[in-house]
Amino acid sequence: MKRPVRWSSAALDDLKQQVRHIAKDDPAAARSVAARIGAAAVLLGERAVGRPGRVGGTYEKSVSGLPYVLAYCMKMTEGRETLFILRVIHAARQWPREEWPE
């Protein structure tokens, strides 16, 4: 089942911050990382296969080959199940249960 994928402002901010950090050293790599994270989100819309998240009501999916985790949830919008990307988090960040990393 293909679901629409929406991004929260926090997730977009996370993505911009990660891409900016990478672009300081390698702009081409930054573009590639952004594209791969975007593609992973699209794939989740087609097949949501993440594990239960550390924050209640969410799920997590690692981005294949990259040290990032997409935190997401499912919600009904306009009569359709929609996948919302809530955060894009580097896997090395400290991430306590029931909280988003700072």
Side-chain angles (χ1 to χ4, degrees):
M1 166 203 264
K2 186 167 175 140
R3 299 168 190 86
V5 176
R6 310 270 159 124
W7 291 71
S8 72
S9 59
L12 290 172
D13 289 345
D14 291 339
L15 182 59
K16 288 176 194 172
Q17 182 181 15
Q18 297 296 335
V19 168
R20 245 187 253 128
H21 179 74
I22 296 166
K24 289 176 190 174
D25 295 324
D26 191 340
R31 287 189 297 276
S32 175
V33 166
R36 290 177 63 192
I37 290 172
V42 169
L43 287 174
L44 276 174
E46 294 172 7
R47 187 167 177 240
V49 293
R51 64 179 181 261
R54 287 165 249 204
V55 174
T58 69
Y59 300 90
E60 299 172 14
K61 177 67 175 152
S62 296
V63 178
S64 181
L66 294 176
Y68 296 98
V69 175
L70 298 179
Y72 67 96
C73 70
M74 307 293 236
K75 293 183 182 178
M76 292 300 288
T77 58
E78 300 174 8
R80 286 182 79 172
E81 188 173 55
T82 301
L83 188 138
F84 285 87
I85 305 293
L86 302 172
R87 299 295 303 265
V88 178
I89 301 167
H90 194 283
R93 305 244 347 241
Q94 296 297 316
W95 191 353
R97 273 192 116 23
E98 296 304 326
E99 296 179 27
W100 298 117
E102 295 294 321

